[in-house]
Amino acid sequence: MTSAVRVPAELSARVPVEQRGPGLERDAVRMLVSRGAEVAHHTFTELPLLLRAGDLLVVNTSATLAAAVDGWSGHARVVVHFSTRGDDGRWAVELREPDGRGTTRARTGGPPGSEVCLPGGGRLVLEEPLSGRSERLWWARVSGPEVPGLLREYGRPIRYAYTERDQPLSVYQTVFALPSADGAGSAEMPSAARPFTARLVTELVSRGVQFAPVTLHTGVASAEAHEPPCAERFVVPGASAWLINAAKAGGGRVVAVGTTAVRAVESAVGADGAVRARAGWTDLVVTPERGVRVVDGLLTGLHEPEASHLLMLEAVAGRVAVGRAYTAALQHRYQWHEFGDVHLVLP
């Protein structure tokens, strides 16, 4: 399926929906709904009508960082994408090249020892590739200002070429985002939750739908290579583990809001099928072969055909169902990417 579908450029959402017309709010996106191989078309504001009392939405509370910072490598301008902070204080970073249109293009990383001058007198030194499978992300040592402060003062949200213009950081925060005391957060927005508004959350709660917060700080995805995600920090609190287990025991459906929520929850399930409080790093990649053990449904955006996220969708919904949903999304001109429409997968 993934190699057969091509997404026309005009179906990339170039600006957030609330900027496409007067009176529009975040929840004014369309929602494709899959139940098995059946596909239906809804608006996101109809979500409360599609869920039941006792259902549980698992939401990611990670706040988005202003993770892109300008720098200089010798005489060359570069853009540094700060992805993930390691336990040893180093940062996983991606170096990109400005393309003259406000966005960036891929750039060869390394070699070890390469230096980047950062604003505010900071300096970054590349030490080694993050993994042996790619030299896109490097572990780097940063001297000078602390990185969280550097991002607050000089950073901006990571922006990809299909978007029209830079947006303020507030555009990239979801209603569930909580600032972290240590400045940790996501390099890229957990975008599946972006259409939620406080009004919609209130309506869902009033109908008996519950919420279980988890945290997973997303790293920098590859805009070109569609690599699987690297190891990421996550937390599943004890209270959320209890809510998830209680929903399952009571016959409610556990619906993850975003692939990040799936990754966190499925990383916290034991051999007995119960979810337990857990925190640390996860390198789990959910595939159809691995399957899902806890999640019954998924709310997510529309992904590129080559994206590894589609393997997760196939694990939840099945390959035939995902193929039919994406064919329908193309036929009905749904909008792709972080500012686009959403796809609800229900059992």
Side-chain angles (χ1 to χ4, degrees):
M1 176 267 170
T2 55
S3 61
V5 173
R6 286 292 174 266
V7 181
E10 65 269 21
L11 293 188
S12 293
R14 293 168 56 80
V15 296
V17 64
E18 62 270 25
Q19 297 178 15
R20 298 177 205 160
L24 295 177
E25 297 188 37
R26 287 183 173 213
D27 55 12
V29 295
R30 292 192 294 167
M31 182 167 62
L32 189 71
V33 179
S34 293
R35 287 189 178 90
E38 294 183 2
V39 177
H41 305 278
H42 292 266
T43 62
F44 187 70
T45 54
E46 294 175 303
L47 180 63
L49 304 178
L50 298 168
L51 299 179
R52 304 189 295 250
D55 286 346
L56 181 75
L57 291 172
V58 182
V59 297
N60 186 1
T61 63
S62 180
T64 308
L65 300 174
V69 176
D70 293 322
W72 289 89
S73 177
H75 296 291
R77 281 188 61 203
V78 296
V79 177
V80 182
H81 288 175
F82 285 86
S83 179
T84 308
R85 183 171 61 187
D87 291 334
D88 59 0
R90 296 187 299 175
W91 277 80
V93 301
E94 177 190 39
L95 300 190
R96 308 269 304 179
E97 183 178 309
D99 63 3
R101 301 189 300 272
T103 52
T104 61
R105 52 181 168 246
R107 177 187 185 280
T108 303
S114 299
E115 295 185 8
V116 175
C117 294
L118 300 169
R123 192 170 71 100
L124 176 152
V125 178
L126 299 182
E127 293 193 341
E128 59 182 328
L130 196 63
S131 74
R133 68 188 182 207
S134 169
E135 293 194 352
R136 183 176 65 87
L137 290 166
W138 284 71
W139 284 118
R141 188 79 60 183
V142 181
S143 60
E146 292 289 328
V147 172
L150 177 78
L151 301 187
R152 284 194 297 273
E153 186 161 358
Y154 299 104
R156 61 184 179 277
I158 290 174
R159 179 189 155 201
Y160 289 112
Y162 50 77
T163 57
E164 185 173 297
R165 56 182 177 270
D166 284 348
Q167 300 284 349
L169 184 59
S170 59
V171 165
Y172 288 85
Q173 303 295 10
T174 74
V175 72
F176 305 109
L178 293 173
S180 173
D182 64 359
S186 288
E188 295 188 349
M189 172 175 56
S191 57
R194 191 181 186 282
F196 283 89
T197 62
R199 181 201 58 77
L200 191 67
V201 171
T202 302
E203 183 177 351
L204 286 163
V205 171
S206 71
R207 288 174 176 267
V209 176
Q210 295 184 297
F211 288 82
V214 299
T215 302
L216 185 140
H217 298 313
T218 65
V220 177
S222 167
E224 293 86 9
H226 304 292
E227 301 158 350
C230 296
E232 295 168 322
R233 290 181 182 275
F234 80 104
V235 179
V236 175
S240 292
W242 185 90
L243 284 167
I244 293 167
N245 295 330
K248 299 287 286 187
R253 298 172 295 185
V254 175
V255 179
V257 178
T259 57
T260 59
V262 175
R263 201 180 193 205
V265 169
E266 294 291 331
S267 298
V269 61
D272 59 356
V275 176
R276 293 177 173 83
R278 190 162 293 177
W281 293 84
T282 177
D283 58 2
L284 175 67
V285 178
V286 177
T287 64
E289 292 73 26
R290 189 269 187 190
V292 288
R293 299 169 184 166
V294 178
V295 169
D296 301 302
L298 172 64
L299 177 71
T300 184
L302 292 163
H303 304 285
E304 290 283 355
E306 301 89 351
S308 62
H309 293 317
L310 286 183
L311 294 176
M312 181 184 290
L313 262 73
E314 291 177 6
V316 177
R319 189 168 193 178
V320 172
V322 175
R324 291 190 179 182
Y326 271 63
T327 298
L330 287 169
Q331 290 173 340
H332 291 266
R333 312 289 289 175
Y334 277 70
Q335 294 281 295
W336 255 251
H337 301 305
E338 69 266 36
F339 296 141
D341 299 312
V342 291
H343 180 199
L344 176 64
V345 177
L346 291 176

